Amino acid sequence: MSSVFSLSLDQELIMTNGVNGGLGGLLAERSSGAPRRRFKRYTTGTYIGLIACAIQGSPDKMLTFKQIMKKLEPFVFGDKRGIENNIRVCLSSNRCFEKVPFDPNYPNPKKNFWKVNENGITPKMFRRHFKYLINIFPGLSIPTQAVDECKDNSHAPEPLACKVAESKSVGKFTGPFSIDSLLKSDREVKRMRSTSLEERVHYGDAQRVVGRELASAKIPLLSSGPQHGHSLPPHITYNHHVLFSSPLMYRPTRYVSW
DNA sequence: CCTTGTTTATAGCACC
DNA sequence: GGTGCTATAAACAAGG
């Protein structure tokens, strides 16, 4: 049985920032009148998946912001500060990430670990960001054989759920990753969101309500920077293997046992 | 001053 | 075309 990650060792994970990516941006006006730079986005992957991956790759499954940045260092190209900012926004605006006080006895709003909150991940989020990261989530120990079988069908998210559902070795569990949840059509998910799911989403604004599903998750490139079509500039390509064999990782072979 | 975290605004894209 | 979601940029607050 192979690991989910080993399946995608040849896939590239890239995170760049358009600011230094060489492609200029647009200038937009802020409401205050101050100029605001805009950059075209060419994204086929998400920060959320990569951040979660980094966090779940740590022994305690929680990291400080600095540690997260260090882990993602090999993936950062271009304006590091911009990416830091983006990651910060990602952490604080997504419910799938939650803070854990550095010292519970002396809580400091600026000293926190960040961990993945699986309850904050909806089925859609899961399929969009975590489909290929299934094994990093305890409680979702999907046999990778199922994923193997699903590989050829990866254009459509549903077959994964079907394969998982067919697997007898997967225990019944509840929550957003439950088989039932994953099997639900998006319309059903929408209905759920109007009831129980909506209660779970603590954000009122649209930016934090989970929605769109990634129709094609075949190659989870992670990039917020420019890509030229789907062939990436050689200077920013990065092999997935580096993340999981990087000295930055606490356990270089962890991807095998996740 | 730097770091960390939050909030707001908006462009771009995909889906319906 | 409308809507939802993500990425990006910037401003701001607070702690060290």
Side-chain angles (χ1 to χ4, degrees), chain A residues 155-216:
Chain A
H155 271 299
E158 267 62 32
L160 171 63
C162 294
K163 290 293 180 186
V164 171
E166 287 164 8
S167 171
K168 293 194 168 51
S169 59
V170 174
K172 179 86 176 176
F173 55 90
T174 58
F177 294 159
S178 69
I179 302 305
D180 290 343
S181 294
L182 291 171
L183 281 173
K184 285 188 194 306
S185 70
D186 289 341
R187 281 190 178 81
E188 288 172 305
V189 170
K190 264 180 188 167
R191 272 203 298 277
M192 281 175 63
R193 281 167 57 194
S194 68
T195 55
S196 60
L197 251 176
E198 202 143 69
E199 293 165 9
R200 259 206 313 275
V201 177
H202 72 312
Y203 305 102
D205 61 310
Q207 187 158 9
R208 285 136 188 167
V209 177
V210 176
R212 185 186 56 195
E213 174 184 351
L214 185 67
S216 174

Side-chain angles (χ1 to χ4, degrees), chain A residues 15-90:
Chain A
M15 182 181 285
T16 67
N17 186 299
V19 174
N20 288 353
L23 302 182
L26 307 169
L27 282 176
E29 292 290 324
R30 302 208 69 195
S31 53
S32 62
R36 180 187 176 123
R37 260 172 293 192
R38 287 284 164 203
F39 298 94
K40 188 168 174 65
R41 198 161 49 103
Y42 302 84
T43 305
T44 54
T46 65
Y47 279 99
I48 294 174
L50 192 56
I51 295 170
C53 189
I55 293 173
Q56 294 295 104
S58 67
D60 299 325
K61 301 204 184 306
M62 53 184 182
L63 294 173
T64 63
F65 177 77
K66 219 167 192 173
Q67 288 172 320
I68 292 172
M69 283 309 300
K70 186 155 190 174
K71 273 203 167 188
L72 299 184
E73 216 164 37
F75 302 89
V76 174
F77 298 87
D79 180 19
K80 195 175 175 181
R81 288 188 67 86
I83 291 176
E84 281 179 357
N85 187 34
N86 294 339
I87 291 174
R88 249 182 244 118
V89 171
C90 205

Side-chain angles (χ1 to χ4, degrees), chain A residues 15 73 83 85 94 105 145 165 173 214 224 227 248 254:
Chain A
M15 182 181 285
E73 216 164 37
I83 291 176
N85 187 34
N94 286 286
N105 297 322
Q145 184 191 352
F173 55 90
L214 185 67
S224 60
Q227 293 170 16
L248 297 171
R254 193 174 184 81

